[in-house]
Amino acid sequence: MNRRFNRTLALAILASFVVPGVGLADETSTSDDESVTEIVVYGRALTQLGTAQSASEGVVGFDDIQLAPMLRVGELVEAVPGMVATQHSGTGKANQYFIRGFNLDHGTDLAVSVEGVPINMRSHGHGQGYLDLNFLIPETVRTTRYQRGPYSASVGDFSSAASVNFDLYDRLPDNIATLSVGQFGYGRSLLAGSAGGPALSITGALDVSRYDGPWDLDEDLEQTKFMAAMNTTLADRPLRVTLQGYDSQWQSTDQVPQRAISSGVISPLGFIDPDLGGSTERYALTARWGDDDWALSAYAIDYDFSLFSNFTYFLNDPVNGDEFEQRDERRVYGVALQSQRAFDAFNTSHLWRWGGDLRYDDVGEVGLYGTQARVRRETVRQDSLSEASLGIWSDIAVDLTDQLRMVAGVRYDYFDWDVTAQRSENSGQGNDGLISPKISFAFQFSDHIEGYANWGRGFHSNDVRGATIQREPLSGDPVDSVDALIASEGGEFGVRIEAAETFNATLTAFWLALDSELVYVGDAGSTEPNDGSRRYGAEVSLFWQARDWLAWNVAYTYTDARFDITSPDDEIPGAVPATLTTGVNAVWKNGVAASARLRWLSDAPLVENGSVRSDDSLLVNAGLRYRYGNAEYRLDVFNLLDSDAADIAYFYASRLAGEALSGIEDAHLHPLEPRAVRASVTWRFN
């Protein structure tokens, strides 16, 4: 048996022993012969007046997450107003993310953490900031805290567009066993629960999924993941230790050329190369000790990734084809400390916060290989590297008057790297640092209305191999290196309205400029630095709990995104100008609940002059749930209208067998998955 199987089996068995609560009785358990009167708690309804730093930050959680149908785990980020997650490859791969006029590929300027542990991967084999959320078990996610824009000193790398932190349950509301089945070979089993008391509690979950998908080429997705967390106290302060494991393998149907579909060579769900796909392993041990006054956290992550892709088919190599493998094997270590202190001075209230974080990526192999039928035939580039960063930040919140609050902060980030490349000229060491000041004002016009003004600088890091490169890996031609740290600057004005506990709204106007845009390059399968950019936009979001049993939310965004150049060819490919998301939840006292969600993406430029554009897309998902006693029955329908629009589209040159050697420039798209029904049964026990 191989290393992957042995480690996955051992840790999955360990997780199964720590999934607590099986067979335990509880005096408050509900009998099987009566329906449940459910208390619904929406994170969107939590008041933010007097505490929020901007109009574009907030909290989502509880039933906001659990009620909505979810096709993929990465859609957890869609709880953030204006955020959209799509896919251009297999389910096991990280999603594509869209917000504030960014096509963020698999991360880039979107920073995501889980209980404070950063998830984005630096100098990754597939793309900078690679952000794979597939290891999460949605039922264990308690709340989602988000911020848009670079206004918080506590968040650093990749956070220019937005940052999101997922908090997990200390103790699950119920112990559950779930079995799900669906069309296209979908199956999932979940066992999760908590046990113990205030002094010591254990929460665990084991999740196993299989999926063939609707594609002509079976996806053969196999996912196994677990979570085990211990909560106790140490020196009268809370201590949480969490172990997570994830193992996934899949085949991919990547984006395909429009001409192949139009000519009938393949169906809209067809494929060109049958050997695409990948695998990911992620095992993490994390700990957090402390409370609101101060907290110390640490983490260690073991990560292994391999991905086979072919976007241009036979353009670069007419004989063997253009299939390639991207490889990433690393360990990531980190610690973070944060503290806060409230005090009065000059007859006003102050809250001083400070913190620091240290991260070290030990990358044993990050490589790019030419392959045929998943067999390596040439090494394009093979490196090992280490990348360390230190971030130090502080801010102070001051009540200037009874109505006016100010938060002023600053962050300093220092990076150090060492690259060992197969081509020795591309090896090297380096370091760089960046100061990012921030300032925000909040003015409370009334008990129900607050206005905000924000400004800040942020940054994203580039792949440090680009900072040391001197020669093109195969040809040896000279190439220009790039800066390792790229600054951003942004500001916004916003208004928050909380007319009652059941209604709130935010309206925001923003701008954001980057010194260099990370752009996804379709024929390379990775992100590459480009010209600087600037964005101007507006966002509106609403939440209304019209009745005890009925809640509605909507978010609309518009962004004008351009490269910062003097040229008519200044549109940013893939930058979606407008998005609309809306959802409705209904929960009745007889145990019945219903949820529906609509997502619309406008058309977007696929080339810099805007002459080629993607079509807009509309997606509707809906679900129905019934609870009776300890049992819950659920039916979800994805792509309810059976739209055949593209989930994502690109425009670049490719060559199919028999076509001219120069290839053909064409749109390449990945369609929405067709209508699919999934059913699940959940048993709750104590």
Side-chain angles (χ1 to χ4, degrees):
M1 291 186 291
N2 61 30
R3 171 176 175 265
R4 169 191 293 274
F5 181 83
N6 284 332
R7 182 164 56 179
T8 302
L9 179 62
L11 292 178
I13 291 173
L14 172 63
S16 69
F17 278 108
V18 298
V19 175
V22 178
L24 297 181
D26 190 293
E27 294 180 357
T28 62
S29 63
T30 306
S31 63
D32 294 347
D33 58 354
E34 60 183 22
S35 60
V36 177
T37 299
E38 187 176 356
I39 298 175
V40 181
V41 180
Y42 293 105
R44 299 178 195 271
L46 295 177
T47 181
Q48 299 289 306
L49 290 182
T51 59
Q53 185 174 328
S54 70
S56 59
E57 69 176 68
V59 180
V60 182
F62 313 109
D63 291 287
D64 302 275
I65 295 174
Q66 301 299 334
L67 286 173
M70 187 180 302
L71 181 67
R72 308 181 184 104
V73 176
E75 293 172 7
L76 281 167
V77 298
E78 293 189 344
V80 178
M83 180 83 75
V84 173
T86 67
Q87 182 59 269
H88 81 102
S89 187
T91 306
K93 188 181 175 185
N95 290 82
Q96 305 276 124
Y97 306 99
F98 295 84
I99 194 170
R100 287 200 162 181
F102 282 87
N103 177 349
L104 293 163
D105 188 40
H106 302 298
T108 60
D109 290 284
L110 168 64
V112 176
S113 58
V114 176
E115 298 191 317
V117 176
I119 307 303
N120 300 74
M121 291 292 179
R122 297 167 173 166
S123 304
H124 188 268
H126 180 65
Q128 178 67 353
Y130 188 74
L131 178 58
D132 186 359
L133 299 176
N134 280 299
F135 71 91
L136 282 171
I137 301 173
E139 289 82 357
T140 66
V141 176
R142 182 172 182 267
T143 56
T144 304
R145 298 183 180 273
Y146 64 88
Q147 304 171 89
R148 288 169 291 190
Y151 317 126
S152 175
S154 64
V155 188
D157 200 4
F158 304 118
S159 63
S160 296
S163 59
V164 179
N165 181 68
F166 294 108
D167 284 318
L168 307 183
Y169 278 101
D170 289 340
R171 186 182 184 93
L172 293 171
D174 298 292
N175 300 327
I176 60 174
T178 298
L179 180 64
S180 303
V181 295
Q183 289 179 275
F184 310 122
Y186 176 78
R188 179 185 184 227
S189 58
L190 169 69
L191 182 64
S194 301
L200 174 66
S201 66
I202 301 292
T203 294
L206 177 63
D207 182 341
V208 178
S209 298
R210 300 292 183 266
Y211 188 44
D212 290 333
W215 318 105
D216 293 349
L217 177 69
D218 280 352
E219 206 170 286
D220 286 337
L221 174 71
E222 297 181 359
Q223 284 184 333
T224 302
K225 45 191 167 183
F226 70 85
M227 185 273 286
M230 178 192 72
N231 292 280
T232 186
T233 57
L234 178 64
D236 295 326
R237 295 185 185 272
L239 171 65
R240 178 178 174 87
V241 180
T242 304
L243 178 66
Q244 292 173 308
Y246 170 67
D247 185 283
S248 179
Q249 303 177 64
W250 70 95
Q251 293 189 137
S252 294
T253 296
D254 288 348
Q255 67 261 21
V256 294
Q258 179 65 60
R259 64 185 183 277
I261 298 174
S262 300
S263 64
V265 172
I266 61 172
S267 77
L269 301 175
F271 61 93
I272 302 297
D273 189 332
D275 299 310
L276 311 184
S279 62
T280 301
E281 291 179 82
R282 183 188 187 274
Y283 300 93
L285 179 64
T286 66
R288 187 181 189 276
W289 178 44
D291 50 27
D292 290 340
D293 291 337
W294 65 264
L296 175 66
S297 60
Y299 58 89
I301 301 170
D302 184 19
Y303 178 83
D304 195 287
F305 168 93
S306 184
L307 182 68
F308 295 88
S309 305
N310 187 351
F311 301 120
T312 52
Y313 316 118
F314 292 95
L315 179 65
N316 301 316
D317 189 332
V319 177
N320 300 301
D322 300 346
E323 183 185 293
F324 58 90
E325 178 190 4
Q326 293 168 316
R327 181 90 173 92
D328 194 288
E329 182 272 320
R330 70 177 67 201
R331 289 180 173 86
V332 186
Y333 309 96
V335 295
L337 175 65
Q338 62 183 44
S339 180
Q340 67 178 32
R341 178 192 170 201
F343 63 95
D344 294 329
F346 306 105
N347 297 318
T348 60
S349 298
H350 299 66
L351 179 65
W352 176 46
R353 303 190 310 155
W354 62 271
D357 52 81
L358 178 66
R359 171 173 171 172
Y360 179 75
D361 288 60
D362 180 12
V363 185
E365 179 187 1
V366 55
L368 177 63
Y369 307 93
T371 61
Q372 188 174 25
R374 295 201 182 191
V375 177
R376 293 181 184 176
R377 56 181 181 81
E378 67 173 344
T379 299
V380 179
R381 179 158 190 178
Q382 186 180 66
D383 308 298
S384 61
L385 63 91
S386 62
E387 184 172 359
S389 68
L390 171 66
I392 302 173
W393 63 273
S394 178
D395 64 26
I396 187 165
V398 182
D399 293 336
L400 299 176
T401 70
D402 291 341
Q403 294 173 288
L404 181 63
R405 295 179 287 117
M406 179 191 73
V407 180
V410 65
R411 181 180 180 94
Y412 175 72
D413 287 274
Y414 174 81
F415 280 64
D416 184 274
W417 58 89
D418 187 345
V419 177
T420 301
Q422 185 180 43
R423 179 180 281 273
S424 59
E425 301 97 314
N426 293 331
S427 299
Q429 301 174 339
N431 58 74
D432 198 4
L434 192 79
I435 298 176
S436 305
K438 333 267 186 175
I439 191 165
S440 299
F441 294 93
F443 185 84
Q444 193 160 349
F445 293 98
S446 70
D447 291 342
H448 304 295
I449 302 175
E450 192 164 66
Y452 307 89
N454 309 88
W455 174 87
R457 288 181 176 168
F459 75 100
H460 68 239
S461 62
N462 278 334
D463 190 318
V464 296
R465 292 174 295 170
T468 63
I469 191 170
Q470 301 294 323
R471 299 281 179 176
E472 201 281 332
L474 284 181
S475 69
D477 295 336
V479 296
D480 295 328
S481 60
V482 299
D483 293 333
L485 303 182
I486 303 299
S488 63
E489 182 177 354
E492 70 178 52
F493 294 98
V495 176
R496 185 186 304 271
I497 302 170
E498 293 182 0
E501 292 183 358
T502 56
F503 176 84
N504 60 67
T506 61
L507 176 64
T508 306
F510 71 91
W511 64 271
L512 180 63
L514 273 69
D515 287 352
S516 175
E517 180 93 5
L518 279 173
V519 175
Y520 180 80
V521 180
D523 57 1
S526 61
T527 51
E528 293 182 0
N530 212 308
D531 296 306
S533 63
R534 52 92 179 156
R535 287 169 170 81
Y536 298 95
E539 302 162 326
V540 59
S541 64
L542 305 170
F543 172 82
W544 181 34
Q545 190 164 353
R547 298 287 187 272
D548 290 343
W549 55 272
L550 181 65
W552 172 69
N553 66 83
V554 63
Y556 175 79
T557 70
Y558 177 80
T559 307
D560 179 48
R562 306 275 176 170
F563 285 121
D564 192 14
I565 57 176
T566 305
S567 169
D569 301 339
D570 63 351
E571 296 195 56
I572 301 174
V576 176
T579 69
L580 173 68
T581 56
T582 184
V584 61
N585 294 325
V587 181
W588 293 277
K589 294 181 179 181
N590 60 2
V592 176
S595 180
R597 190 173 188 277
L598 178 149
R599 185 202 82 191
W600 174 77
L601 294 176
S602 71
D603 65 338
L606 298 182
V607 294
E608 285 81 354
N609 63 13
S611 60
V612 181
R613 306 183 70 87
S614 65
D615 294 330
D616 65 345
S617 68
L618 179 68
L619 177 67
V620 178
N621 298 330
L624 185 66
R625 189 187 71 184
Y626 177 56
R627 287 188 178 181
Y628 190 82
N630 291 332
E632 174 184 303
Y633 308 92
R634 180 162 183 153
L635 187 71
D636 291 320
V637 183
F638 299 95
N639 194 0
L640 180 66
L641 305 180
D642 203 23
S643 169
D644 59 0
D647 218 2
I648 197 165
Y650 306 97
F651 188 84
Y652 56 85
S654 64
R655 177 179 178 268
L656 303 177
E659 292 181 336
L661 292 177
S662 58
I664 298 174
E665 291 192 329
D666 194 7
H668 295 71
L669 56 90
H670 187 76
L672 293 168
E673 295 196 19
R675 183 191 297 122
V677 178
R678 294 180 182 177
S680 65
V681 177
T682 297
W683 182 260
R684 286 174 159 74
F685 52 91
N686 294 289

